Amino acid sequence: MRLVLRWVLAAGVSAILLGSAQAADSLGEKPIASNDPWIISVGGMMTVSPKWDGSSRYSLGGMPSISFRRASEPETFSAPDDNFDITFFTGKRFAIGPVASLRPGRSSEGGRLEGLDSYPWTVEAGVFAEFWPIEDQLRLRGELRHGLRSNDGFSADLGADYVQNYGQLTLSGGPRMVLADDHVMNLKYGISPEAALRNGTVAAFDPKGGIVSVGLSAAQSYVWSKEWTTTLYQRFDYMVGDAADSPIVKDLGSRNQFTFGVGATYSFTAE
């Protein structure tokens, strides 16, 4: 089951990779001048999001960001919920490279989760691929990642964004899907018999890997100057399958997950 699921998780990313490879045949790279300066963009976003995956309670958080490009290269689109990536192969309609994210942990000391198993945060690393079937308007993106520890498991994000520019204002958004294998599902939504006894309000639960949630994401970015850009971000995830059936979500939390964010980016030139 676990090996089969890993192939399922990879299928969405592989489809985008295939489309990207086909597009690469007709694209060429322009040489970069040695005196072409770098434009570096640093920023961050403050977010209000669930305290833990499946929680009905919310807390403040933050997401830093950094990107860089040559001054002669056009600025590329990035959604607020894209994880940190480095493009290794790129063309007019595709990009492929490594990606990394921080998976938050969960403490079960006190509150509704009292007695349940905690799990630590981890760094996830993997590969991303994106393809633009409609240039500069419709982007398909997939990420496949694994935590640094052997039992951290695989997770995957699939999404599409429709992007529309109105002068200095850019509107974007589209559907999202999150998948996870048995390891991730057990960490976040599983309940051992011992943990169920310690908590006293939930039953034991053994979830299987599959689709975790489906949802929508949207962002509104405004370029105030060459240096400053601000962004508003909204995302809704609806938990499905074993994730939604887990007592951690069904009895102690909510399958409706909202995220709101506001961020700013400062860009400068480095010779």
Side-chain angles (χ1 to χ4, degrees):
M1 171 65 181
R2 188 167 299 154
L3 289 176
V4 172
L5 178 60
R6 290 180 182 177
W7 283 109
V8 173
L9 290 177
V13 175
S14 298
I16 297 176
L17 282 168
L18 178 60
S20 300
Q22 292 172 343
D25 293 338
S26 61
L27 299 175
E29 295 287 340
K30 293 182 178 180
I32 297 175
S34 60
N35 61 347
D36 195 7
W38 289 95
I39 295 179
I40 301 175
S41 300
V42 295
M45 178 169 287
M46 294 296 297
T47 60
V48 177
S49 60
K51 295 184 67 174
W52 36 268
D53 290 318
S55 175
S56 59
R57 299 182 179 181
Y58 288 76
S59 62
L60 288 172
M63 299 187 295
S65 65
I66 182 170
S67 64
F68 47 89
R69 62 182 174 87
R70 293 288 188 176
S72 61
E73 297 174 342
E75 187 173 3
T76 58
F77 170 80
S78 179
D81 52 358
D82 289 352
N83 287 303
F84 179 75
D85 61 58
I86 300 175
T87 299
F88 274 9
F89 305 99
T90 185
K92 186 179 294 185
R93 290 178 180 244
F94 77 97
I96 305 170
V99 65
S101 69
L102 178 65
R103 184 198 300 170
R106 186 185 71 199
S107 173
S108 300
E109 296 181 2
R112 299 180 181 184
L113 302 179
E114 180 68 39
L116 299 184
D117 295 326
S118 301
Y119 58 86
W121 64 270
T122 189
V123 173
E124 295 181 324
V127 62
F128 86 94
E130 61 183 44
F131 176 61
W132 292 80
I134 303 177
E135 187 177 348
D136 297 329
Q137 281 195 320
L138 180 60
R139 183 193 73 158
L140 306 179
R141 180 180 171 99
E143 297 182 9
L144 179 64
R145 307 178 307 274
H146 191 285
L148 295 185
R149 293 179 290 266
S150 60
N151 65 340
D152 281 337
F154 280 97
S155 60
D157 294 332
L158 301 176
D161 288 280
Y162 182 76
V163 183
Q164 188 65 55
N165 296 308
Y166 300 94
Q168 294 168 273
L169 175 65
T170 298
L171 304 180
S172 64
R176 297 291 189 266
M177 179 183 290
V178 177
L179 304 96
D181 71 359
D182 291 356
H183 283 301
V184 176
M185 294 292 286
N186 272 290
L187 279 173
K188 293 185 176 182
Y189 311 111
I191 303 173
S192 66
E194 296 79 11
L197 286 174
R198 293 194 300 266
N199 180 268
T201 64
V202 295
F205 187 70
D206 182 22
K208 302 302 179 183
I211 300 175
V212 177
S213 65
V214 294
L216 291 170
S217 178
Q220 306 82 39
S221 296
Y222 193 84
V223 179
W224 297 92
S225 66
K226 291 182 179 180
E227 291 81 20
W228 288 102
T229 300
T230 55
T231 301
L232 299 178
Y233 166 59
Q234 309 86 37
R235 176 163 169 163
F236 169 68
D237 292 284
Y238 185 71
M239 307 190 78
V240 298
D242 278 8
D245 291 337
S246 169
I248 292 176
V249 176
K250 185 169 61 175
D251 299 332
L252 306 180
S254 171
R255 66 191 303 177
N256 298 306
Q257 304 281 283
F258 297 92
T259 301
F260 304 95
V262 56
T265 302
Y266 178 74
S267 300
F268 60 94
T269 300
E271 298 294 339

